[in-house]
Amino acid sequence: MSIAIGDNFELMHPEDDGFIVDDVLVRGGYSIVRTIAERDSIPPSARKEGMIVYVQTPKLEYKLVDGIANTNWV
């Protein structure tokens, strides 16, 4: 999930979209990935029990319960 920059900030590069945090840079929380393979490739250092990941194909949400291994997605 990203945080929008307010109007009083100047973007550093023309290609900036106005967001300062991307969900891939935050441990745990809510993330969005394209496939189950991408979900399973989230590194352990970026996982936290209770985090939720939305997988675009097959359009489902998964939560880490009782651990952070790939077998803990429910």
Side-chain angles (χ1 to χ4, degrees):
M1 187 175 291
S2 300
I3 301 168
I5 297 175
D7 291 342
N8 58 343
F9 289 96
E10 184 176 327
L11 299 177
M12 300 295 289
H13 302 284
E15 65 271 5
D16 283 345
D17 60 7
F19 292 92
I20 58 172
V21 178
D22 194 296
D23 61 353
V24 299
L25 303 174
V26 179
R27 181 173 174 241
Y30 191 87
S31 297
I32 299 170
V33 296
R34 288 178 288 159
T35 64
I36 296 288
E38 283 186 26
R39 179 204 70 185
D40 290 348
S41 69
I42 296 172
S45 61
R47 296 180 183 202
K48 185 174 183 181
E49 191 172 330
M51 75 180 288
I52 297 172
V53 175
Y54 177 75
V55 180
Q56 293 173 330
T57 302
K59 297 183 181 177
L60 293 172
E61 282 186 333
Y62 295 88
K63 183 176 184 177
L64 276 176
V65 177
D66 296 327
I68 61 167
N70 284 335
T71 56
N72 296 105
W73 293 111
V74 293

